[in-house]
Amino acid sequence: MDRILVTGGTGLLGSEVVRHLLTQHQKVAILSSQTNPKIPSGVDLFPGDLRSGCGLATAANSAQTIIHCASNPRDSGETDIKGTSNLLDAITNPDTHFIYISIAGIDKASYPYYVAKREVEKKIQASGLPYTILRTTQFHPFVLNLIRGILDSNEEVALVPDGMRFQSVDLAEVADQLCRISQSKPAGLLPEFGGPGILPFEDMVRTYLGQTGLHRQWKPYPVTGPRWDLFRSGVNLVPDNRFGKTGWTQFLARVQR
């Protein structure tokens, strides 16, 4: 059985991918720069650092398939762009299937993290390796963390950025897609994968407060900034690709259990 290497395998998405692969009885390895990371039983660990390139050759050439989930929005130049270049350069098997998780709309935005992710896509496409790129809309936990961060502010009335819309998607469904891709032939750039519904951010806040029973004063407000403006622009939406099944309300119900 061919081994599948997951970069970022201890992160939010990567750990979910690993869990899905194990349920399918796949041989799984993780590339990690952490010291003594917690990993599931039966998973091989390869110490390595994307930014420095240390340990990448041993890890990359131990697998027939690589699912590249590692990313750092706060340091995308080093982790995403340079790190992916180092990883691609470390691969000596020309038949290695390189799978990359990307973001819907990155080819339409000037937001720095999106620009970095698009640069990574270009590097993969130019590498000569067989590849598959899956672009998805924002994950439900991403939106949840946005809401919690805004509502946890010290303001008496929390200011919720108005005009934003999300088509958030379930993390487990994305992980399942990546696992399916790993068992299929390389397919290049796939159709974007979006959640089942497009919702105004204000409605998502109301649903969150209703399901949690929290009492917090808030109001929509024209908060400006690159991130808020990005999600107002609509480039993060793929209305014709509502492939996800688990909606925002269902996700919140599961989180509250």
Side-chain angles (χ1 to χ4, degrees):
M1 182 185 297
D2 293 329
R3 180 189 278 125
I4 299 172
L5 176 70
V6 181
T7 73
T10 59
L12 185 67
L13 175 61
S15 59
E16 189 72 15
V17 171
V18 169
R19 188 180 70 80
H20 274 65
L21 289 170
L22 290 175
T23 62
Q24 298 173 8
H25 307 290
Q26 300 295 327
K27 190 174 182 181
V28 185
I30 288 174
L31 172 72
S32 179
S33 61
Q34 297 180 19
T35 302
N36 298 321
K38 293 182 179 180
I39 62 174
S41 175
V43 174
D44 297 321
L45 173 65
F46 287 91
D49 188 282
L50 289 169
R51 293 173 297 178
S52 69
C54 180
L56 298 188
T58 301
N61 294 295
S62 71
Q64 187 70 23
T65 301
I66 297 174
I67 302 179
H68 188 30
C69 297
S71 183
N72 185 353
R74 297 181 182 86
D75 188 24
S76 56
E78 287 293 309
T79 301
D80 292 75
I81 298 176
K82 182 181 176 181
T84 303
S85 291
N86 289 339
L87 181 60
L88 292 169
D89 289 343
I91 299 170
T92 59
N93 180 359
D95 295 323
T96 301
H97 184 185
F98 198 93
I99 301 169
Y100 182 57
I101 179 69
S102 192
I103 308 172
I106 63 169
D107 53 338
K108 304 172 185 176
S110 59
Y111 187 63
Y113 181 52
Y114 278 35
V115 172
K117 294 285 281 188
R118 181 69 183 110
E119 182 64 24
V120 172
E121 287 188 353
K122 292 177 181 178
K123 288 182 178 294
I124 295 167
Q125 291 166 331
S127 69
L129 291 171
Y131 71 89
T132 305
I133 296 173
L134 177 66
R135 294 176 177 174
T136 75
T137 54
Q138 282 65 48
F139 304 147
H140 290 318
F142 173 85
V143 181
L144 179 59
N145 287 337
L146 277 185
I147 292 173
R148 286 173 171 169
I150 292 168
L151 297 182
D152 285 347
S153 70
N154 293 326
E155 301 291 336
E156 182 178 350
V157 178
L159 302 181
V160 173
D162 65 357
M164 300 195 304
R165 293 179 298 159
F166 289 95
Q167 189 181 346
S168 53
V169 68
D170 191 66
L171 199 67
E173 292 174 357
V174 174
D176 182 65
Q177 287 300 310
L178 291 171
C179 293
R180 291 174 184 271
I181 292 168
S182 73
Q183 302 306 306
S184 304
K185 294 181 179 180
L189 180 61
L190 293 175
E192 293 169 314
F193 190 93
I198 297 174
L199 296 172
F201 188 55
E202 297 99 313
D203 289 353
M204 301 177 90
V205 172
R206 291 186 186 96
T207 303
Y208 169 76
L209 290 172
Q211 291 217 12
T212 59
L214 295 176
H215 298 284
R216 179 69 164 99
Q217 286 187 300
W218 67 278
K219 67 178 181 179
Y221 194 80
V223 183
T224 59
R227 174 187 269 187
W228 313 128
D229 294 341
L230 170 70
F231 298 130
R232 288 187 179 102
S233 71
V235 301
N236 59 313
L237 308 176
V238 287
D240 295 330
N241 296 37
R242 305 186 189 209
F243 299 131
K245 304 298 182 184
T246 304
W248 177 244
T249 301
Q250 294 168 289
F251 163 72
L252 289 177
R254 189 175 67 205
V255 170
Q256 297 309 310
R257 286 202 298 264

